[in-house]
Amino acid sequence: MDQQQKKFRRIVTGHDADGKAIIISDAAPVHAQLIGGPGGPTFIEVWHTSETPAFIQPQPVLTDEDKLMLPPPKNGTRIRVIEFPPESEAIRQLTGADAAAKFKSMGDENASASVAGAPHPLMHRTETLDYGIVLEGEMTLILDREETTIRTGDIVIQAGTNHAWSNRSGHNCRMAFVLIDGHYTSGIV
């Protein structure tokens, strides 16, 4: 990861004792975690809710989690930013066990869907509806049967499908993700 990455602010609003809108916090997110060592992505946890509909409190408080959790809380939401460095050959050569270990370090080893012949070793699936927004750079979205390159400003609606992200651009890519807890309907395996 580029140690000179751009920082960004997390501005949290709320209400004062008179019910007037105020800024509660204006600072960089505090929880960032590098996954898999040098050359791996950095997850920057921005915010999460414990339920939907979310309770709107006068002064929102983020309850810090003690470790990175890939999915949102049950019935909740999560927003995070991920800094993806260019994909290395080491990533492309991961075994299924290596991939499961990486997802375990993200708090959800069951998300790993890496099997022999998969289109990418970091294929994974979560029972969530996700909005992925490319803030800078470009990324390849890999699905079971096809792939597409997305660029700055593009938005992906990820509906619980098996997928992987591959940065083939040679430059860092920054994406924001909003994850919403979901439930598969019948007909989805």
Side-chain angles (χ1 to χ4, degrees), residues 134-139 150-153 169 171-174:
V134 181
L135 302 174
E136 292 179 26
E138 71 178 48
M139 180 67 64
I150 55 177
R151 294 176 177 81
T152 301
S169 73
H171 302 283
N172 285 349
C173 178
R174 175 182 277 182

Side-chain angles (χ1 to χ4, degrees), residues 11 16 35 53 60 64 68 77 81 85 89 116 137 141 151 155 163 172-173 176 181:
I11 296 109
D16 65 15
I35 300 297
D64 287 327
L68 178 66
T77 66
V81 172
E89 186 61 32
L141 168 61
R151 294 176 177 81
I155 300 170
H163 68 286
N172 285 349
C173 178
D181 185 40

Side-chain angles (χ1 to χ4, degrees), residues 39-100:
T42 299
F43 283 61
I44 304 160
E45 299 301 280
V46 179
W47 194 262
H48 68 271
T49 63
S50 298
E51 65 278 317
T52 54
F55 289 110
I56 308 297
Q57 301 172 9
Q59 300 211 356
V61 176
L62 177 63
T63 53
D64 287 327
E65 296 167 321
D66 59 350
K67 62 182 179 181
L68 178 66
M69 297 300 296
L70 185 62
K74 193 70 175 160
N75 298 317
T77 66
R78 180 177 311 283
I79 181 170
R80 70 168 42 106
V81 172
I82 303 179
E83 303 276 353
F84 291 97
E87 186 172 276
S88 68
E89 186 61 32
I91 295 293
R92 291 185 283 276
Q93 299 302 320
L94 289 174
T95 66
D98 294 335

